[in-house]
Amino acid sequence: MSEQGSGWPFVGRGGPLAAVRAALRSGAGMVIAGEAGVGKSRLAAEALAGLPGYEVVRALGTETASMIPFGAFAHVLTGPPRGSENLLHWAARHLRDRARRAELLVSVDDAQRLDPASAALVHYLVESGTARVVVTVRSGEPQPAPVAALWKDELLDRIELQPLTRDEVGQVLAGALGGEVAAETVRHLARVSEGNMLYLREVVQAGRNSGCLAERDGQWRWRGELSMSTRLRELVGERIGHLDEDEREVLELVAFGEPLGTELLASLTSARAIERVEDRGLVVAVSEGRREQLRLGHPLYGEVVRGGCGTLRTRRRLRMLAGALEASGLRRREDELRAAVWRLDSGSAAAPETLVSAARLAWGRQDPRLAERLARAAIEAGAGVAAVALLGEVLMVLGDADSALATLRRAARDAVTEADRAQYAFSLGINLAWAGADAESCEVLDMAARTLTEPAWLQEAHIYRAVADCFAGRLTGAARSLTRSRTFGPMSVRAEAHAASMEAWVAAYSGRAEAGLAVAERTLGGVAGWRDEAPHALPSFLDALCAAQTFSGRLDAAAGTAEQGMELPAAELSVSGFAAWRATVSRLRGDVAGALRWCGDDLARMPAREPYLGRVLAEQAHALALLGRTAQAREVLAEASVPASRWAFTRQHAMQAAVWVAAADGDLDGAVRLCLAAADHAERHELYGNLMFALHDLVRLGAPAADRLSALVGRVDGPLAGLLSRHARAMGDPASLGTVAEEFERSGMLLYAAEATAQEAAAYRDAGRGTLARGAQTRAWALARRCPGVSTPALVELATPELTPRQREIVKLAAAGLTNRQIADRLTLSTRTAANHLQAAYDKLGVNDRTQVGRLLASL
């Protein structure tokens, strides 16, 4: 990858590219504006490359050339003027003579740096019509008056080139790196580059050189801190430019403290320096509620500015920020968190109770790593059981339940007050449930419920017991515990959020999708009011939404919720596993390779040996089996078995994956036995949504399940249960199977549609109706083609329709609506020959007319 970006694909600029080319073809040209590095020059070059027939003159504005008249055009202007010839006329004539008979096209990069004579020449070329002109200028910088007049006087249109979107960054990275890029890596690089192509190239190059960006398991992934190469620092430093002492102080304080209140910063520095830094785009003001906050103009500015500060200077800046914020009264809750972090990072003292409160806030903001730091600091500063209990919960979700349990057991004797005993019991109980020690967890939580007296603590005791019941697969017991929690008077904000999240979870997994969705929608609407108090609630709500949406057939909504969950700040932790749901949706849609990619995104960042890891590994094994990668599927399933076995609902994923690993091995009898075991497990643990899919897997394997699936209709909300039940009842009835397949296709469930259509073909064959069987088989083949690489027992015997090249050609013309005579005329055939070819193709495909063949056209 060169510094000029060769090898980097040109994406995300289709609209601007078309606009520039259209302006050159029909008008005088275009001004392309944008921030430094956004890709203005690349856009201009691409636009010119697609316009042959022009004599192109290129000029570049530079600081050096700006000191010389016509400096930007010095390389093409030779010879003196004729007599008293006007200098502009002389320069324009020179350029015109170079073009000879071709049309003159002048491209000027960085026109904001043009010397006055060159700027006047560009304006003259446009105003006189001597040339078509493409000009790039840097937004937010002073422009020579003749250049600014190009768009102000409407001589040229101006477009503002925006940074690349995240999706466009992903496309660029895939092309530049020559392979698939993990979604989290795309998000990271899009965030740090903010879509600026110049910075993106340099960050990628630095990451590759340092090893932070490397290909792992078939995907490019970023691991570690941001790499800042010397060149990248120089580029960003050049963009920042020279700073006087006041300006440097402003930028350093914002770099260490963003977002930083304008008033707070002004109390520490000079208001005029803040204005100067803002005028240069180095900081930007944003409104957050009633506060005006300042942020850096680009994330990379912070890396450079902070990197330029030594340890002592860094600590001084942080102490300044903490002191100023504390002096302001810590009016917002996040102020307490920020001040505590600044104190911690600066090495200055903070009160133990302040550190505990800040740790709770960090945990509530889905930042358990920061919460761990603050909780440990609080313990070292002399905080009591409350800090230990919080640390225990945080360590649990960081994937270190063993350390959490050891830490908690050491603190048992210190739990003296009721508050201490309650917090200790809740943290110990949930850690034991997380670790799979169900009996001991229930004993601890039940003891708390019997001995605590304060209503708020009793509420939470029963909520935590509900969580333990959910892990163990006792959904009715969990519902009873949640009901009991509401009998102790009005709930606290924390208890209400946690109780509601578990109510949504129990409803969703038990098949009552509408109830789960209603609770989630009602409570998530007020997330800002409880987020800080209830750290477990948000991931639990999103998991419940994924389950409810998937089990009720709302695949688009489920995909969106899963992706939202994967983007939580704590998405790399063991409480995530949302890729399992996202993979399920992709698998149902027939995009099994996509399911593998989603699993890979989560697996790269999840702690080992955790239950949610087991769920994602199980989905990965499921996808591998469907793709025929049997040996790898067996290995992954074995890896998933231990972590997934800890909880009932994660174990269910592994059991259903095992069905398809056996089927991929050719052991259909074993697959059916495993499927029955998975169904029994789901029914025993009241996981009725999972039971619906397990029973339908029997249908896909050709085994009977109609009665048990019919019994779920009404118990599992949504149309999907009814559709799966109809599929089971339709077995052996080809017409009914065809109808079910069409419903699956309309629902976006292409894999099920292909399998049902293949079963339709088999039923027609068994009935001795060969033509209809061939038609259904061709439709099944076409649907299977939309599920690349997938092989299941229902699809394994599908064969590619054997059409000759001429027959394929004629079929496509027929599907486009051409008559036999029109086809014959186009292909120089007799009408009879065209008709014969078409009929032969119809016979092979099992269709009767152009309408039917049109449905197959995309796959032929």
Side-chain angles (χ1 to χ4, degrees):
M1 295 180 294
S2 76
E3 293 180 1
Q4 298 304 315
S6 60
W8 282 69
F10 183 72
V11 301
R13 303 303 194 199
L17 179 62
V20 175
R21 286 179 175 172
L24 288 170
R25 290 191 185 102
S26 61
M30 179 73 78
V31 175
I32 305 171
E35 65 183 40
V38 77
K40 303 181 297 296
S41 301
R42 178 74 183 272
L43 173 60
E46 292 289 336
L48 269 57
L51 291 172
Y54 289 87
E55 172 66 25
V56 179
V57 173
R58 291 179 170 82
L60 174 64
T62 65
E63 290 186 12
T64 301
S66 68
M67 307 301 293
I68 306 168
F70 295 112
F73 291 91
H75 61 295
V76 291
L77 296 177
T78 59
R82 296 172 181 170
S84 60
E85 184 180 17
N86 180 284
L87 289 177
L88 286 181
H89 292 175
W90 162 76
R93 175 176 57 77
H94 239 83
L95 297 178
R96 178 66 259 174
D97 290 345
R98 285 178 61 88
R100 298 177 184 173
R101 295 183 180 180
E103 185 148 9
L104 178 62
L105 198 162
V106 177
S107 175
V108 184
D109 251 344
D110 285 337
Q112 74 279 354
R113 293 177 174 173
L114 290 178
D115 61 275
S118 294
L121 174 59
V122 171
H123 186 277
Y124 176 77
L125 291 172
V126 175
E127 187 178 43
S128 65
T130 302
R132 298 173 192 257
V133 176
V134 176
V135 173
T136 73
V137 297
R138 188 173 296 180
S139 300
E141 293 196 6
Q143 307 290 332
V147 172
L150 293 175
W151 62 87
K152 289 182 178 179
D153 294 346
E154 300 183 352
L155 297 175
L156 296 180
D157 290 334
R158 169 176 163 149
I159 59 170
E160 194 76 27
L161 196 60
Q162 300 300 318
L164 296 171
T165 66
R166 189 174 72 186
D167 287 345
E168 290 163 354
V169 167
Q171 295 173 43
V172 168
L173 290 172
L177 296 171
E180 187 178 328
V181 185
E184 178 59 27
T185 296
V186 172
R187 286 193 289 270
H188 170 67
L189 293 175
R191 184 168 58 248
V192 300
S193 69
E194 288 196 341
N196 183 294
M197 273 295 301
L198 178 61
Y199 292 159
L200 179 64
R201 285 201 306 270
E202 294 302 325
V203 169
V204 166
Q205 186 65 62
R208 294 189 68 179
N209 291 341
S210 67
C212 290
L213 181 62
E215 196 169 14
R216 302 176 177 94
D217 300 323
Q219 286 188 318
W220 286 88
R221 299 183 184 280
W222 188 286
R223 289 182 181 172
E225 297 298 320
L226 180 64
S227 302
M228 291 290 291
S229 66
T230 301
R231 173 171 163 75
L232 182 55
R233 287 187 182 279
E234 289 173 351
L235 284 170
V236 177
E238 180 184 349
R239 176 64 187 89
I240 292 172
H242 174 74
L243 298 169
D244 63 29
E245 189 58 34
D246 286 348
E247 292 168 342
R248 181 182 179 186
E249 184 174 53
V250 168
L251 205 57
E252 287 177 355
L253 287 169
V254 176
F256 285 111
E258 66 175 332
L260 207 55
T262 305
E263 292 182 5
L264 182 73
L265 182 60
S267 72
L268 294 170
T269 62
S270 156
R272 296 194 63 181
I274 296 173
E275 291 175 4
R276 292 198 303 273
V277 172
E278 183 189 20
D279 287 343
R280 293 168 58 179
L282 301 179
V283 299
V284 293
V286 294
S287 296
E288 295 183 5
R290 296 180 179 179
R291 284 188 177 183
E292 184 178 71
Q293 306 270 41
L294 291 171
R295 292 183 178 273
L296 292 173
H298 195 282
L300 292 178
Y301 296 167
E303 297 292 331
V304 170
V305 171
R306 290 188 295 268
C309 293
T311 300
L312 296 179
R313 189 181 187 91
T314 296
R315 289 178 176 177
R316 178 162 59 87
R317 293 299 187 212
L318 292 170
R319 285 195 297 271
M320 288 174 63
L321 289 167
L325 194 56
E326 289 161 352
S328 73
L330 303 176
R331 293 189 293 270
R332 291 186 176 185
R333 296 201 67 191
E334 63 263 27
D335 291 348
E336 185 177 5
L337 172 59
R338 302 178 77 207
V341 172
W342 290 335
R343 286 290 181 200
L344 188 62
D345 289 342
S346 69
S348 53
E353 58 274 16
T354 299
L355 291 168
V356 173
S357 179
R360 287 201 180 100
L361 284 169
W363 186 203
R365 297 296 171 90
Q366 298 293 305
D367 192 347
R369 298 192 187 281
L370 177 58
E372 179 193 8
R373 281 188 64 214
L374 290 163
R376 289 190 185 280
I379 293 169
E380 290 176 4
V385 172
V388 177
L390 177 59
L391 179 61
E393 289 198 28
V394 170
L395 287 174
M396 176 187 74
V397 302
L398 284 168
D400 196 1
D402 292 342
S403 293
L405 287 170
T407 301
L408 285 163
R409 293 191 194 281
R410 286 195 298 270
R413 68 183 66 184
D414 300 325
V416 178
T417 68
E418 175 156 288
D420 284 348
R421 289 189 293 110
Q423 293 175 82
Y424 175 83
F426 301 157
S427 186
L428 179 60
I430 196 65
N431 264 285
L432 288 166
W434 190 278
D438 178 52
E440 189 178 356
S441 169
C442 292
E443 182 181 346
V444 168
L445 294 171
D446 288 346
M447 176 66 74
R450 288 194 301 270
T451 58
L452 296 173
T453 60
E454 286 291 328
W457 296 129
L458 287 167
Q459 290 169 358
E460 292 209 48
H462 289 283
I463 293 169
Y464 276 99
R465 176 56 197 267
V467 175
D469 284 335
C470 287
F471 286 168
R474 297 184 295 266
L475 299 196
T476 297
R480 282 197 300 266
S481 294
L482 291 169
T483 299
R484 178 71 173 148
S485 72
R486 294 188 178 279
T487 64
F488 297 98
M491 285 191 140
S492 67
V493 170
R494 172 186 168 89
E496 178 60 45
H498 279 148
S501 73
M502 295 315 300
E503 286 165 354
W505 198 97
V506 170
Y509 275 84
S510 62
R512 295 181 291 111
E514 300 308 321
L517 291 169
V519 172
E521 182 178 353
R522 181 178 68 246
T523 314
L524 285 171
V527 63
W530 53 258
R531 181 186 61 180
D532 292 345
E533 301 288 342
H536 295 295
L538 183 57
S540 296
F541 268 124
L542 293 179
D543 191 71
L545 281 173
C546 286
Q549 291 159 344
T550 301
F551 295 148
S552 60
R554 299 171 167 93
L555 298 189
D556 289 343
T561 302
E563 291 175 34
Q564 182 183 352
M566 292 179 73
E567 293 184 9
L568 285 176
E572 77 278 9
L573 307 178
S574 55
V575 292
S576 59
F578 287 101
W581 288 118
R582 188 61 184 84
T584 298
V585 172
S586 292
R587 172 165 51 79
L588 293 172
R589 288 171 168 169
D591 180 17
V592 180
L596 273 185
R597 288 193 295 273
W598 287 111
C599 290
D601 284 345
D602 245 13
L603 292 173
R605 55 192 175 167
M606 293 181 71
R609 300 177 289 102
E610 291 303 318
Y612 286 106
L613 173 72
R615 180 165 74 170
V616 179
L617 284 169
E619 283 300 324
Q620 185 183 44
H622 196 151
L624 287 166
L626 292 178
L627 292 172
R629 295 160 62 177
T630 312
Q632 191 177 357
R634 282 197 302 269
E635 291 176 4
V636 173
L637 184 61
E639 187 181 352
S641 60
V642 173
S645 65
R646 198 179 301 173
W647 302 336
F649 69 95
T650 55
R651 185 161 59 247
Q652 187 68 36
H653 284 264
M655 295 181 76
Q656 290 181 224
V659 172
W660 294 98
V661 174
D665 256 338
D667 182 9
L668 295 189
D669 290 340
V672 169
R673 286 194 300 272
L674 289 168
C675 202
L676 288 168
D680 291 345
H681 177 271
E683 190 163 26
R684 184 166 60 254
H685 292 292
E686 306 169 90
L687 301 169
Y688 293 114
N690 294 107
L691 174 61
M692 173 185 70
F693 279 122
L695 292 173
H696 184 250
D697 282 352
L698 286 171
V699 180
R700 296 169 62 201
L701 292 168
D707 291 344
R708 293 181 73 180
L709 267 172
S710 294
L712 286 179
V713 178
R715 180 186 284 273
V716 177
D717 293 346
L720 184 55
L723 177 55
L724 300 185
S725 175
R726 289 195 296 279
H727 186 189
R729 293 197 305 271
M731 293 301 288
D733 179 352
S736 297
L737 283 167
T739 300
V740 166
E742 290 176 356
E743 290 187 61
F744 280 137
E745 186 177 3
R746 283 195 296 272
S747 300
M749 306 175 79
L750 295 182
L751 178 56
Y752 288 0
E755 290 177 324
T757 309
Q759 291 168 338
E760 175 194 1
Y764 275 128
R765 279 197 302 273
D766 292 344
R769 304 176 72 177
T771 300
L772 292 175
R774 286 194 299 276
Q777 176 147 331
T778 301
R779 292 196 300 278
W781 172 83
L783 286 164
R785 289 260 299 192
R786 296 163 66 187
C787 307
V790 177
S791 177
T792 68
L795 303 178
V796 71
E797 295 183 359
L798 292 179
T800 303
E802 296 296 334
L803 298 184
T804 67
R806 178 63 84 184
Q807 287 170 345
R808 289 177 182 271
E809 188 175 24
I810 289 175
V811 161
K812 290 185 177 183
L813 292 173
L818 274 67
T819 66
N820 288 357
R821 177 174 291 279
Q822 290 170 326
I823 292 171
D825 291 343
R826 177 169 296 190
L827 300 180
T828 319
L829 301 172
S830 69
T831 303
R832 175 175 295 180
T833 299
N836 289 341
H837 277 304
L838 190 57
Q839 187 59 52
Y842 285 170
D843 290 342
K844 289 180 179 180
L845 296 173
V847 298
N848 298 319
D849 56 37
R850 287 166 166 78
T851 301
Q852 291 176 327
V853 83
R855 295 181 59 192
L856 308 175
L857 183 60
S859 299
L860 289 172

